[in-house]
Amino acid sequence: MQDLGTTVDGMAAAVRAVGAHLAAVQRPEPVPATTAAQALAAFRAVDGPAAAMLRERLGALRPSAGWWEDELTGEVPADGEWWVCDATDGAVQYLHGLPHWAVTATLVRDGEARAAVVHAPRSGATYTAARGGGARLDGRPIAPVPRGLEVALAATAHPPLVGGNDIARRRAGASMTALLGRVLAVRNLGPTALQVARVGSGHLGLFWEYGSDAGNLLPGALIAAEAGAVVTDAAGRPWSPAADSFLAAAPGPHAEAVAALAVVD
């Protein structure tokens, strides 16, 4: 069996190849879809070939690992070794001709992320991490920046669009109210995994989200944690793929954010 360092190198090569393909075929103007069905068809036309390319490359790298097809369920397998990937992470932005999208790959073993790569083709940034081996951006070790909330650039994401998320949407709205007066600015800067990884490199002060979103959160969560960020749910409890909220920040700002979010029901 390959060591994780060799696996991460192969993963990075795979996601960069897929990212280059997607960048080459991305339209500079928005896809002219005016209905949900048209938008879904446009997405599948792009994502299908990209996902097949990613699966082929990663399958050759780790033939014994399965391929997790149900990324939109918010769950990941609890047993065995699996690839949990998103060939077009940030598909909404991609289809609108925007640069804020990424390609992600995570090797999950027994429900725990072991290695992760998040690649942003339009900026050329590649985040990598192996459990116990630290995190890197373009090969350089990274660490979060412990800015206080008053000077922190905070990021968040829309609760996942899967069933049963009315509570998550209400909590997301309440959390925005709770944090708007406490942080320098709040932004949604595209793919969830990329935003969480940017907490690990200090480009963002914190990231939070409500709802079960394991497939999107796993790669960034490993990268941020290996970089030295605190990764929990919104109440400060250890995060797991089954959690219904997420928070990542440097240690000091993390405690401040947990206190701010305590008002959310």
Side-chain angles (χ1 to χ4, degrees):
M1 181 178 290
Q2 292 179 333
D3 65 81
L4 284 180
T6 302
T7 298
V8 168
D9 291 342
M11 292 166 65
V15 299
R16 287 190 183 109
V18 173
H21 161 74
L22 285 167
V25 300
Q26 186 183 21
R27 299 162 57 105
E29 67 279 350
V31 170
T34 58
T35 67
Q38 291 172 348
L40 182 60
F43 166 71
R44 286 175 172 166
V46 170
D47 187 71
M53 182 187 302
L54 188 59
R55 182 171 185 172
E56 178 182 6
R57 289 174 177 267
L58 294 178
L61 180 66
R62 203 91 168 190
S64 62
W67 187 264
W68 186 241
E69 300 277 6
D70 300 323
E71 64 179 82
L72 295 181
T73 65
E75 302 173 351
V76 295
D79 301 301
E81 191 169 78
W82 297 82
W83 290 113
V84 178
C85 304
D86 196 338
T88 319
D89 190 11
V92 171
Q93 294 85 247
Y94 184 93
L95 294 176
H96 281 75
L98 297 169
H100 313 297
W101 53 276
V103 183
T104 74
T106 310
L107 181 65
V108 175
R109 187 183 302 152
D110 296 335
E112 182 181 78
R114 305 296 298 175
V117 177
V118 176
H119 174 58
R122 290 304 185 189
S123 66
T126 305
Y127 286 88
T128 60
R131 185 164 294 277
R136 290 170 172 76
L137 170 57
D138 299 331
R140 304 184 303 275
I142 56 175
V145 178
R147 301 182 183 92
L149 283 191
E150 70 276 5
V151 292
L153 175 58
T156 189
H158 190 292
L161 294 176
V162 293
N165 271 291
D166 287 345
I167 292 174
R169 283 188 284 270
R170 288 196 295 270
R171 296 172 79 195
S175 69
M176 185 73 74
T177 300
L179 282 173
L180 278 177
R182 301 287 298 276
V183 300
L184 179 65
V186 176
R187 300 288 184 266
N188 184 330
L189 299 173
T192 296
L194 182 59
Q195 294 190 89
V196 180
R198 283 174 169 160
V199 173
S201 60
H203 289 89
L204 291 174
L206 66 103
F207 175 91
W208 88 96
E209 182 183 5
Y210 285 94
S212 298
D213 197 16
N216 285 321
L217 287 167
L218 270 171
L222 179 63
I223 292 165
E226 287 293 328
V230 182
V231 176
T232 67
D233 69 6
R237 297 176 295 249
W239 183 79
S240 75
D244 64 357
S245 63
F246 180 89
L247 173 64
H254 182 275
E256 293 182 69
V258 169
L261 293 172
V263 301
V264 178
D265 182 7

mmCIF file of all heavy atoms in Angstrom, residues 16 34-35 43-44 57 61 68 81 88 92 106 119 121 149 166 169 184 210 226 228 232 245-246 249 255 264:
data_model
loop_
_atom_site.group_PDB
_atom_site.id
_atom_site.type_symbol
_atom_site.label_atom_id
_atom_site.label_comp_id
_atom_site.label_asym_id
_atom_site.label_seq_id
_atom_site.Cartn_x
_atom_site.Cartn_y
_atom_site.Cartn_z
ATOM 1 N N ARG A 16 -5.131 18.451 -10.758
ATOM 2 C CA ARG A 16 -4.624 19.504 -11.657
ATOM 3 C C ARG A 16 -4.966 19.194 -13.106
ATOM 4 O O ARG A 16 -5.324 20.099 -13.878
ATOM 5 C CB ARG A 16 -3.118 19.661 -11.483
ATOM 6 C CG ARG A 16 -2.695 20.331 -10.187
ATOM 7 C CD ARG A 16 -1.212 20.660 -10.214
ATOM 8 N NE ARG A 16 -0.754 21.226 -8.967
ATOM 9 C CZ ARG A 16 0.031 20.590 -8.087
ATOM 10 N NH1 ARG A 16 0.444 19.346 -8.352
ATOM 11 N NH2 ARG A 16 0.414 21.164 -6.972
ATOM 12 N N THR A 34 -32.332 28.829 -18.237
ATOM 13 C CA THR A 34 -33.363 29.629 -17.560
ATOM 14 C C THR A 34 -34.270 28.799 -16.669
ATOM 15 O O THR A 34 -35.157 29.345 -16.023
ATOM 16 C CB THR A 34 -34.226 30.372 -18.599
ATOM 17 O OG1 THR A 34 -34.827 29.414 -19.483
ATOM 18 C CG2 THR A 34 -33.368 31.354 -19.405
ATOM 19 N N THR A 35 -34.064 27.489 -16.627
ATOM 20 C CA THR A 35 -34.844 26.612 -15.747
ATOM 21 C C THR A 35 -33.870 25.700 -14.999
ATOM 22 O O THR A 35 -32.719 25.512 -15.418
ATOM 23 C CB THR A 35 -35.831 25.739 -16.532
ATOM 24 O OG1 THR A 35 -35.097 24.805 -17.344
ATOM 25 C CG2 THR A 35 -36.732 26.598 -17.408
ATOM 26 N N PHE A 43 -24.842 21.305 -16.271
ATOM 27 C CA PHE A 43 -23.884 20.818 -15.282
ATOM 28 C C PHE A 43 -23.426 19.403 -15.614
ATOM 29 O O PHE A 43 -22.229 19.094 -15.601
ATOM 30 C CB PHE A 43 -24.516 20.866 -13.889
ATOM 31 C CG PHE A 43 -23.746 20.089 -12.859
ATOM 32 C CD1 PHE A 43 -22.518 20.538 -12.404
ATOM 33 C CD2 PHE A 43 -24.252 18.892 -12.358
ATOM 34 C CE1 PHE A 43 -21.801 19.812 -11.463
ATOM 35 C CE2 PHE A 43 -23.546 18.174 -11.417
ATOM 36 C CZ PHE A 43 -22.312 18.622 -10.968
ATOM 37 N N ARG A 44 -24.374 18.530 -15.910
ATOM 38 C CA ARG A 44 -24.018 17.137 -16.190
ATOM 39 C C ARG A 44 -23.131 17.013 -17.425
ATOM 40 O O ARG A 44 -22.248 16.157 -17.479
ATOM 41 C CB ARG A 44 -25.291 16.313 -16.361
ATOM 42 C CG ARG A 44 -26.017 16.042 -15.033
ATOM 43 C CD ARG A 44 -27.329 15.337 -15.241
ATOM 44 N NE ARG A 44 -27.920 14.923 -13.961
ATOM 45 C CZ ARG A 44 -29.170 14.528 -13.818
ATOM 46 N NH1 ARG A 44 -29.985 14.498 -14.884
ATOM 47 N NH2 ARG A 44 -29.620 14.167 -12.631
ATOM 48 N N ARG A 57 -8.149 8.409 -13.017
ATOM 49 C CA ARG A 57 -6.799 8.710 -12.513
ATOM 50 C C ARG A 57 -6.636 8.276 -11.061
ATOM 51 O O ARG A 57 -5.604 7.714 -10.686
ATOM 52 C CB ARG A 57 -6.510 10.199 -12.682
ATOM 53 C CG ARG A 57 -6.305 10.607 -14.140
ATOM 54 C CD ARG A 57 -6.165 12.112 -14.300
ATOM 55 N NE ARG A 57 -5.909 12.471 -15.686
ATOM 56 C CZ ARG A 57 -4.708 12.625 -16.219
ATOM 57 N NH1 ARG A 57 -3.641 12.481 -15.464
ATOM 58 N NH2 ARG A 57 -4.563 12.946 -17.482
ATOM 59 N N LEU A 61 -4.433 5.149 -9.071
ATOM 60 C CA LEU A 61 -3.557 5.476 -7.951
ATOM 61 C C LEU A 61 -3.816 4.577 -6.749
ATOM 62 O O LEU A 61 -2.876 4.163 -6.050
ATOM 63 C CB LEU A 61 -3.781 6.946 -7.559
ATOM 64 C CG LEU A 61 -2.968 7.519 -6.417
ATOM 65 C CD1 LEU A 61 -1.491 7.576 -6.791
ATOM 66 C CD2 LEU A 61 -3.480 8.926 -6.080
ATOM 67 N N TRP A 68 -17.238 6.956 -4.059
ATOM 68 C CA TRP A 68 -18.487 7.341 -3.398
ATOM 69 C C TRP A 68 -19.317 8.190 -4.334
ATOM 70 O O TRP A 68 -18.917 9.283 -4.724
ATOM 71 C CB TRP A 68 -18.176 8.094 -2.108
ATOM 72 C CG TRP A 68 -19.377 8.415 -1.264
ATOM 73 C CD1 TRP A 68 -19.823 9.649 -0.917
ATOM 74 C CD2 TRP A 68 -20.278 7.486 -0.658
ATOM 75 N NE1 TRP A 68 -20.945 9.557 -0.135
ATOM 76 C CE2 TRP A 68 -21.251 8.229 0.040
ATOM 77 C CE3 TRP A 68 -20.357 6.090 -0.642
ATOM 78 C CZ2 TRP A 68 -22.290 7.622 0.755
ATOM 79 C CZ3 TRP A 68 -21.384 5.488 0.063
ATOM 80 C CH2 TRP A 68 -22.333 6.260 0.757
ATOM 81 N N GLU A 81 -12.285 1.934 2.533
ATOM 82 C CA GLU A 81 -11.530 3.051 1.947
ATOM 83 C C GLU A 81 -12.245 3.531 0.687
ATOM 84 O O GLU A 81 -12.578 2.726 -0.190
ATOM 85 C CB GLU A 81 -10.104 2.595 1.625
ATOM 86 C CG GLU A 81 -9.173 3.740 1.268
ATOM 87 C CD GLU A 81 -7.722 3.299 1.204
ATOM 88 O OE1 GLU A 81 -7.332 2.676 0.195
ATOM 89 O OE2 GLU A 81 -6.981 3.559 2.172
ATOM 90 N N THR A 88 -16.284 19.253 -10.032
ATOM 91 C CA THR A 88 -16.628 20.654 -10.291
ATOM 92 C C THR A 88 -17.237 21.229 -9.027
ATOM 93 O O THR A 88 -18.447 21.422 -8.922
ATOM 94 C CB THR A 88 -17.617 20.783 -11.467
ATOM 95 O OG1 THR A 88 -17.265 19.881 -12.510
ATOM 96 C CG2 THR A 88 -17.613 22.208 -12.033
ATOM 97 N N VAL A 92 -22.116 26.167 -9.574
ATOM 98 C CA VAL A 92 -22.932 27.355 -9.862
ATOM 99 C C VAL A 92 -22.056 28.457 -10.444
ATOM 100 O O VAL A 92 -22.394 29.086 -11.459
ATOM 101 C CB VAL A 92 -23.648 27.842 -8.592
ATOM 102 C CG1 VAL A 92 -24.317 29.185 -8.837
ATOM 103 C CG2 VAL A 92 -24.675 26.813 -8.130
ATOM 104 N N THR A 106 -10.640 13.545 -1.820
ATOM 105 C CA THR A 106 -10.361 13.144 -0.452
ATOM 106 C C THR A 106 -10.341 11.626 -0.371
ATOM 107 O O THR A 106 -11.247 10.960 -0.876
ATOM 108 C CB THR A 106 -11.437 13.673 0.518
ATOM 109 O OG1 THR A 106 -11.632 15.071 0.294
ATOM 110 C CG2 THR A 106 -11.023 13.454 1.961
ATOM 111 N N HIS A 119 -7.858 22.020 -5.344
ATOM 112 C CA HIS A 119 -7.150 22.771 -6.384
ATOM 113 C C HIS A 119 -8.088 23.797 -7.018
ATOM 114 O O HIS A 119 -9.204 23.454 -7.420
ATOM 115 C CB HIS A 119 -6.638 21.814 -7.454
ATOM 116 C CG HIS A 119 -6.029 22.493 -8.646
ATOM 117 N ND1 HIS A 119 -4.958 23.358 -8.555
ATOM 118 C CD2 HIS A 119 -6.359 22.439 -9.973
ATOM 119 C CE1 HIS A 119 -4.635 23.802 -9.759
ATOM 120 N NE2 HIS A 119 -5.485 23.261 -10.632
ATOM 121 N N PRO A 121 -8.228 25.982 -10.128
ATOM 122 C CA PRO A 121 -7.532 26.163 -11.406
ATOM 123 C C PRO A 121 -7.339 27.622 -11.819
ATOM 124 O O PRO A 121 -6.299 27.976 -12.395
ATOM 125 C CB PRO A 121 -8.423 25.409 -12.400
ATOM 126 C CG PRO A 121 -9.090 24.364 -11.560
ATOM 127 C CD PRO A 121 -9.355 25.038 -10.252
ATOM 128 N N LEU A 149 -11.789 38.626 16.032
ATOM 129 C CA LEU A 149 -12.952 38.697 15.162
ATOM 130 C C LEU A 149 -13.125 40.073 14.532
ATOM 131 O O LEU A 149 -13.566 40.190 13.387
ATOM 132 C CB LEU A 149 -14.231 38.342 15.942
ATOM 133 C CG LEU A 149 -14.501 36.877 16.253
ATOM 134 C CD1 LEU A 149 -15.921 36.712 16.767
ATOM 135 C CD2 LEU A 149 -14.266 35.978 15.048
ATOM 136 N N ASP A 166 -34.771 23.070 6.353
ATOM 137 C CA ASP A 166 -35.412 24.300 6.815
ATOM 138 C C ASP A 166 -34.766 24.813 8.099
ATOM 139 O O ASP A 166 -34.537 26.013 8.265
ATOM 140 C CB ASP A 166 -36.909 24.066 7.054
ATOM 141 C CG ASP A 166 -37.683 23.929 5.746
ATOM 142 O OD1 ASP A 166 -37.109 24.293 4.706
ATOM 143 O OD2 ASP A 166 -38.831 23.463 5.777
ATOM 144 N N ARG A 169 -31.395 26.367 7.313
ATOM 145 C CA ARG A 169 -31.521 27.695 6.705
ATOM 146 C C ARG A 169 -31.862 28.751 7.752
ATOM 147 O O ARG A 169 -31.334 29.872 7.721
ATOM 148 C CB ARG A 169 -32.567 27.660 5.589
ATOM 149 C CG ARG A 169 -32.044 27.011 4.322
ATOM 150 C CD ARG A 169 -33.030 27.165 3.175
ATOM 151 N NE ARG A 169 -34.167 26.251 3.318
ATOM 152 C CZ ARG A 169 -34.196 25.029 2.817
ATOM 153 N NH1 ARG A 169 -33.151 24.541 2.184
ATOM 154 N NH2 ARG A 169 -35.273 24.263 2.962
ATOM 155 N N LEU A 184 -14.964 41.747 10.664
ATOM 156 C CA LEU A 184 -14.656 42.817 9.714
ATOM 157 C C LEU A 184 -15.573 42.754 8.499
ATOM 158 O O LEU A 184 -16.098 43.766 8.035
ATOM 159 C CB LEU A 184 -13.193 42.707 9.273
ATOM 160 C CG LEU A 184 -12.708 43.732 8.250
ATOM 161 C CD1 LEU A 184 -12.742 45.135 8.853
ATOM 162 C CD2 LEU A 184 -11.292 43.379 7.790
ATOM 163 N N TYR A 210 -24.066 25.808 8.399
ATOM 164 C CA TYR A 210 -25.078 24.959 9.041
ATOM 165 C C TYR A 210 -25.601 23.951 8.019
ATOM 166 O O TYR A 210 -25.691 24.254 6.824
ATOM 167 C CB TYR A 210 -26.210 25.800 9.612
ATOM 168 C CG TYR A 210 -25.808 26.521 10.877
ATOM 169 C CD1 TYR A 210 -25.330 27.829 10.832
ATOM 170 C CD2 TYR A 210 -25.865 25.877 12.111
ATOM 171 C CE1 TYR A 210 -24.927 28.486 11.983
ATOM 172 C CE2 TYR A 210 -25.466 26.530 13.272
ATOM 173 C CZ TYR A 210 -25.008 27.824 13.206
ATOM 174 O OH TYR A 210 -24.604 28.463 14.349
ATOM 175 N N GLU A 226 -4.904 20.177 9.862
ATOM 176 C CA GLU A 226 -3.476 19.876 9.762
ATOM 177 C C GLU A 226 -2.634 21.153 9.754
ATOM 178 O O GLU A 226 -1.473 21.139 10.156
ATOM 179 C CB GLU A 226 -3.200 19.046 8.516
ATOM 180 C CG GLU A 226 -3.656 17.605 8.619
ATOM 181 C CD GLU A 226 -2.864 16.813 9.652
ATOM 182 O OE1 GLU A 226 -1.657 17.111 9.845
ATOM 183 O OE2 GLU A 226 -3.434 15.902 10.275
ATOM 184 N N GLY A 228 -3.335 23.689 11.631
ATOM 185 C CA GLY A 228 -3.341 24.199 12.990
ATOM 186 C C GLY A 228 -4.597 24.931 13.384
ATOM 187 O O GLY A 228 -4.682 25.466 14.494
ATOM 188 N N THR A 232 -14.435 22.385 14.523
ATOM 189 C CA THR A 232 -15.491 21.865 15.395
ATOM 190 C C THR A 232 -16.843 22.070 14.731
ATOM 191 O O THR A 232 -16.921 22.580 13.605
ATOM 192 C CB THR A 232 -15.509 22.598 16.753
ATOM 193 O OG1 THR A 232 -15.907 23.965 16.537
ATOM 194 C CG2 THR A 232 -14.140 22.573 17.419
ATOM 195 N N SER A 245 -23.422 21.139 11.778
ATOM 196 C CA SER A 245 -22.868 22.491 11.655
ATOM 197 C C SER A 245 -21.355 22.378 11.629
ATOM 198 O O SER A 245 -20.796 21.310 11.934
ATOM 199 C CB SER A 245 -23.318 23.396 12.811
ATOM 200 O OG SER A 245 -22.845 22.903 14.057
ATOM 201 N N PHE A 246 -20.693 23.481 11.283
ATOM 202 C CA PHE A 246 -19.241 23.442 11.092
ATOM 203 C C PHE A 246 -18.662 24.810 11.408
ATOM 204 O O PHE A 246 -19.251 25.839 11.080
ATOM 205 C CB PHE A 246 -18.918 23.071 9.638
ATOM 206 C CG PHE A 246 -17.440 22.999 9.338
ATOM 207 C CD1 PHE A 246 -16.743 21.809 9.509
ATOM 208 C CD2 PHE A 246 -16.753 24.111 8.885
ATOM 209 C CE1 PHE A 246 -15.384 21.742 9.233
ATOM 210 C CE2 PHE A 246 -15.396 24.056 8.608
ATOM 211 C CZ PHE A 246 -14.706 22.860 8.777
ATOM 212 N N ALA A 249 -11.438 27.945 12.556
ATOM 213 C CA ALA A 249 -10.758 29.218 12.785
ATOM 214 C C ALA A 249 -9.476 28.952 13.562
ATOM 215 O O ALA A 249 -9.288 27.856 14.114
ATOM 216 C CB ALA A 249 -11.651 30.187 13.563
ATOM 217 N N ALA A 255 -12.690 30.579 19.628
ATOM 218 C CA ALA A 255 -13.427 30.700 20.890
ATOM 219 C C ALA A 255 -14.385 31.885 20.835
ATOM 220 O O ALA A 255 -15.518 31.804 21.329
ATOM 221 C CB ALA A 255 -12.444 30.863 22.049
ATOM 222 N N VAL A 264 -27.549 31.230 18.535
ATOM 223 C CA VAL A 264 -28.299 30.544 17.472
ATOM 224 C C VAL A 264 -28.997 29.331 18.069
ATOM 225 O O VAL A 264 -28.363 28.488 18.697
ATOM 226 C CB VAL A 264 -27.375 30.128 16.319
ATOM 227 C CG1 VAL A 264 -28.167 29.374 15.259
ATOM 228 C CG2 VAL A 264 -26.694 31.347 15.718
#
